[in-house]
Amino acid sequence: MEPELLLGLAILIIGAVAAAFPRPKTYLSRIIVLEIPAWGLLLMMLAYDEALALLTFIAVTAISTFVMVRVVERRGEP
Amino acid sequence: MAELIALYICGVIALFAALRCLIEKDTYLKLPYLNVMNFAVAGIIVLVLNHPLSLLAAVAYFVGSTLEANAIASAKAGGVQND
Amino acid sequence: MIEFLQVILAVIVLLGAFATALSRDPFNKLIALGVMIGGIMPFIVDRGYLDVAVVVALVAPVTTIFVLTLAWRRDEHGA
């Protein structure tokens, strides 16, 4: 078993638990913590040798973070 | 073995700087150690693979990570002063 | 990649993930996220995906700066 796959699974589980129960319960900390499982999923895609999936997933993660920041900014205080 | 010594030194520096960055209490004192860890990681990227394009990846990572750390420092310093 | 470097980078990535999940200040969260991304990057280079590494290195700071605008505004408003 490759080390990237094991590390990606560990990061994915840590990030999912942390995003479900964030430490201060605000939208900002939830957005920041939501980036941890994204990097874990990227490590797992790396273990399966999917270059096009990696490039697409990076772009989609950046765009979705931008959209969530705009939505929280428009809505105001949590 | 001669080129592996540089890789070991870069790994030890990266681990020390990451530990020191995460242990430190003050936010401003975290940022120089984040920069040190980024420099060590850029060295690891150059040394780990023998390919002419790996220099480009290291340059891109160097520029990006330095920009990120300085953006955090600038936002932390300017946000309080502007109030 | 040699075993020693794999162990060190895995320790850095796990510590960064735990610190991102557990710290309370948004700036400390972003700094720990930067530590975690720095640990992930040599794994991408080691598999040979140098183009992916260049794209990741240029897109990750942009994402951090997007979040940073929100953190700055929230810091000015409240705490």
Side-chain angles (χ1 to χ4, degrees):
Chain A
M1 215 162 179
E2 291 149 350
E4 286 95 357
L5 187 61
L6 288 176
L7 194 60
L9 277 171
I11 297 294
L12 189 62
I13 291 170
I14 292 170
V17 172
F21 307 103
R23 194 62 182 284
K25 271 191 168 321
T26 58
Y27 292 133
L28 176 59
S29 75
R30 230 180 258 265
I31 289 174
I32 297 172
V33 163
L34 199 58
E35 290 189 23
I36 308 174
W39 289 99
L41 198 58
L42 189 134
L43 273 175
M44 288 176 64
M45 284 179 185
L46 192 71
Y48 286 113
D49 283 330
E50 302 278 352
L52 192 62
L54 282 167
L55 286 172
T56 317
F57 183 69
I58 295 160
V60 166
T61 305
I63 294 171
S64 74
T65 305
F66 178 62
V67 169
M68 280 189 287
V69 165
R70 285 301 298 271
V71 166
V72 173
E73 198 174 26
R74 187 67 55 89
R75 184 180 166 133
E77 294 296 311
Chain B
M1 193 60 203
E3 71 268 14
L4 281 187
I5 290 177
L7 211 49
Y8 279 116
I9 291 173
C10 280
V12 170
I13 289 173
L15 183 62
F16 171 73
L19 277 176
R20 189 70 195 271
C21 171
L22 295 179
I23 284 172
E24 200 76 49
K25 292 285 183 200
D26 191 8
T27 306
Y28 290 113
L29 289 180
K30 280 169 179 282
L31 288 160
Y33 290 104
L34 180 63
N35 270 322
V36 171
M37 198 212 71
N38 286 330
F39 299 157
V41 169
I44 289 173
I45 288 174
V46 172
L47 291 171
V48 82
L49 193 65
N50 256 331
H51 195 274
L53 212 60
S54 77
L55 184 65
L56 183 66
V59 167
Y61 178 71
F62 191 84
V63 171
S65 62
T66 309
L67 181 69
E68 179 183 358
N70 287 318
I72 292 174
S74 168
K76 175 91 178 143
V80 179
Q81 185 194 359
N82 209 357
D83 199 352
Chain C
M1 196 169 4
I2 51 178
E3 292 280 329
F4 176 73
L5 208 57
Q6 278 183 352
V7 171
I8 276 188
L9 290 171
V11 167
I12 289 175
V13 171
L14 288 175
L15 279 176
F18 273 115
T20 310
L22 294 181
S23 60
R24 304 193 72 93
D25 190 27
F27 294 104
N28 289 348
K29 269 184 192 294
L30 286 172
I31 289 170
L33 197 69
V35 170
M36 196 189 77
I37 294 172
I40 285 175
M41 192 68 66
F43 284 106
I44 301 175
V45 176
D46 182 50
R47 295 293 288 227
Y49 294 119
L50 290 169
D51 48 351
V52 177
V54 171
V55 172
V56 168
L58 293 180
V59 166
V62 175
T63 309
T64 305
I65 290 171
F66 282 158
V67 179
L68 209 52
T69 58
L70 193 59
W72 175 70
R73 195 154 308 174
R74 191 61 48 89
D75 197 21
E76 191 187 20
H77 257 261

